[in-house]
Structure formats: C-alpha cells, structure tokens
C-alpha cells in the first residue's frame, strides 16, 4: 500500500509540474492538451482512498496517454516552427529568413526542388529584405519627425511584411508526409461550418483558382465570429499584414467624420485621440500577447 501511495503522490506532482510547464510556455487554454490535463486533474483530485487494480490501471492509461500527447504536441510544434517560446521580440529591421523545415526536393513530385529553392532563397528573402528596409525607413521617419514618405513606406511595410509572414506560414503548412485530411478538433470545426471536408476543399480550391491577379487563398479563424472562414488576398495584402491582430483602429472613411468635419480629416484625427479607450486597447493587447509564434 505504501508503494501505491508513493506512486499516486509522484503522479500528482507530475501533474502539477506539467500544468506549470504549459503555463510557462503560454500554451493556449483552449488547446486540447489543457482539456485532457484538466480531466486528469479532476481524476487525481477525486481520489479519496486506496485504489483497486482496475482504478490504478485507468490512471496508468491516463498517464501514458498524456506522456504520448505531450511528446506529439511538442514534436509537431518544434517541427513546424510554431512552438510557444519565450524569446525576445524582433527589433525594427532585424527579420531573418526562416529555414525550410525540410529539403528543397522533399515535396517532389508535387513541387520541384528547383521551384522550392528559388521560391524560398530568392523570393522569400526579397520580402525579408523589403520588410527590414521599410521598418528602418519608418524608424528614421519617427526619429526625424518627417513623415512625408509615410504612405510609400507603409505600403512597402504591408506588402513585404505580409509576404514574409504568409510565406513563413506557407512553408510550415506543407510536409513531405502530408495530404489526406485533418482530424480532431480542426476536422470538427471544418464540418461544423462548411458541412464536410469535401465542401471545404472545393471552396478553398476555387478561392485559390479565382483570386484576382496574384495572391493567396487562406483558411482563417475569426475570433469575433468564433468560427473558420476562407478568404482571398490579392498580391499579399491590401495595406495590412497577415498573422497580426488589431489592437487599436481608426475609421477614416468619410462617413465617419464628414458630416461634422467636412473635408478636414486632420481635425477629426486630432480630436479622436481625446476619446480613445485605452483600457479596451490594453485588454486586447493582454489577450493577443498570449499568442506567440517563433520569431523570424
């Protein structure tokens, strides 16, 4: 009986250490790992006395399952470059080209090694260089208080920034052993909104084929609607950067100010600062900052 009690104590301590570790890594509380760990915690906290063999075997199954889940989770996160890390932020102009998570030829025959090398080493690198230049030039503008070229460099910031961020997602969205269909929570969400995986696949494929000019098809999560959606993006952006979350926004469409300020948008912008709800902005920041991708 003493050995069993020691085992339960060890498992309980491991459970606590595992929760602390997930907390330290900022793993999203909606992640399935947390749900499984919460269920296991309830089981451990519900132990009121000695266990029989069957109860002990069930706990051992839970422990083995959690061990396996943890190994798979962090192996996958490490592989795709999206592991939650406590790393320093990227200063202006310091972005770098992320390495491919596989060899250039690994996706053949579907995508040739020649294309992958050119796409990654040349095209993606050009977006990294363009983003760094735009950030550096905007830093100079802030230092000098000279914003005459802010429109130009904001366009460059959006185009090259979205090119860099989308390609970083793109490389990791592919894998030599990929294909098939998703499973688990993602498949449930796809079926819930699109009706089936086949309907989702057809919609996404048509969005990709029909996007005007050059651009992207994207499956996105909408925090406001709390569901998935499929979007198109021309070029890389329309003066925005993908993979970012809005914190503070200002509507400068004419309907937002024209009845009061006529064509004097400057006064509208100046006076708008008097009504900014910084508590709301801070709340959005605190929630958004919980999400941390590996920096590049």
């Amino acid at each position: 009986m003493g050995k069993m009690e020691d085992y339960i104590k060890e498992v309980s301590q491991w459970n606590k250490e595992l929760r602390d570790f997930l907390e330290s890594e900022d793993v999203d509380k909606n992640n399935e790992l947390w749900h499984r760990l919460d269920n296991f915690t309830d089981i451990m906290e519900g132990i009121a006395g000695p266990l029989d063999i069957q109860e002990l075997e069930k706990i051992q199954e839970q422990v083995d399952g959690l061990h396996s889940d943890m190994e798979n989770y962090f192996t996958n996160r490490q592989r795709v470059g999206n592991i939650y890390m406590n790393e320093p932020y990227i200063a202006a102009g310091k972005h770098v080209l992320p390495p491919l998570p596989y060899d250039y030829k690994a996706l053949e025959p579907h995508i040739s090694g020649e294309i992958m090398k050119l796409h990654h080493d040349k095209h993606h690198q050009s977006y990294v260089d363009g983003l760094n230049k735009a950030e550096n030039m905007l830093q100079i503008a802030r230092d000098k208080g000279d914003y005459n070229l802010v429109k130009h460099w904001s366009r460059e910031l959006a185009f090259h920034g979205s090119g860099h961020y989308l390609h970083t997602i793109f490389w990791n969205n592919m894998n030599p052993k990929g294909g098939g269909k998703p499973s688990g929570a993602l498949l449930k969400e796809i079926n819930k909104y699109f009706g089936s995986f086949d309907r989702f696949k057809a919609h996404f494929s048509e969005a990709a084929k029909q996007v005007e000019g050059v651009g992207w098809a994207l499956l996105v999560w909408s925090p406001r609607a709390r569901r998935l959606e499929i979007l198109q993006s021309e070029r890389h952006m329309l003066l925005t950067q993908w993979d970012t979350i809005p914190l503070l926004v200002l509507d400068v469409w004419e309907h937002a100010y024209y009845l009061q300020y006529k064509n004097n948008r400057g006064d509208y912008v100046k006076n708008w600062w008097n009504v900014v709800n910084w508590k709301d902005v801070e709340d959005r920041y605190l929630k958004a900052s919980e999400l941390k991708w590996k920096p590049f």
Side-chain angles (χ1 to χ4, degrees), residues 31-130:
N31 188 282
E32 191 172 348
L33 260 179
W34 273 114
H35 297 313
R36 295 179 183 178
L37 192 56
D38 287 340
N39 181 59
F40 182 63
T41 300
D42 290 341
I43 292 174
M44 296 306 297
E45 291 179 348
I47 297 176
L51 302 175
D52 59 31
I53 297 299
Q54 289 183 337
E55 292 172 326
L56 191 61
E57 288 177 348
K58 288 182 179 179
I59 289 178
Q60 185 60 55
E61 288 179 2
Q62 290 281 335
V63 170
D64 292 342
L66 275 171
H67 268 299
S68 177
D69 292 339
M70 285 294 296
E71 289 178 359
N72 291 335
Y73 177 80
F74 286 106
T75 296
N76 289 335
R77 286 296 190 186
Q78 191 74 50
R79 173 176 57 77
V80 303
N82 286 341
I83 189 170
Y84 296 84
M85 292 185 173
N86 296 320
E87 295 194 34
Y89 76 102
I90 297 178
K94 299 299 182 182
H95 296 277
V96 297
L97 180 69
L100 279 180
Y102 35 74
D103 294 334
Y104 294 119
K105 296 183 179 181
L107 303 182
E108 291 183 344
H110 310 291
I111 304 177
S112 75
E114 181 181 10
I115 286 177
M116 290 299 295
K117 184 174 179 60
L118 178 67
H119 196 170
H120 177 265
D121 293 5
K122 300 298 182 182
H123 289 277
H124 191 171
Q125 182 66 63
S126 72
Y127 300 130
V128 174
D129 295 341

Side-chain angles (χ1 to χ4, degrees), residues 130-168:
L131 174 60
N132 285 334
K133 183 175 182 179
E135 289 182 347
N136 286 332
M137 295 306 295
L138 287 168
Q139 179 67 60
I140 292 173
R142 289 190 291 272
D143 292 342
K144 293 183 176 180
D146 181 359
Y147 296 101
N148 287 328
L149 294 177
V150 69
K151 183 177 180 179
H152 168 73
W153 291 116
S154 292
R155 288 180 180 274
E156 291 291 290
L157 182 72
F159 177 74
H160 291 289
S162 289
H164 170 47
Y165 296 144
L166 283 173
H167 278 91
T168 301

Side-chain angles (χ1 to χ4, degrees), residues 206-233:
E206 289 304 312
K209 290 186 285 187
Q210 296 183 35
V211 64
E212 294 186 8
V214 291
W216 299 75
L218 307 99
L219 173 66
V220 303
W221 171 258
S222 171
R224 185 71 64 185
R226 300 184 182 183
R227 59 169 170 75
L228 301 172
E229 189 55 273
I230 293 172
L231 299 178
Q232 296 172 313
S233 177

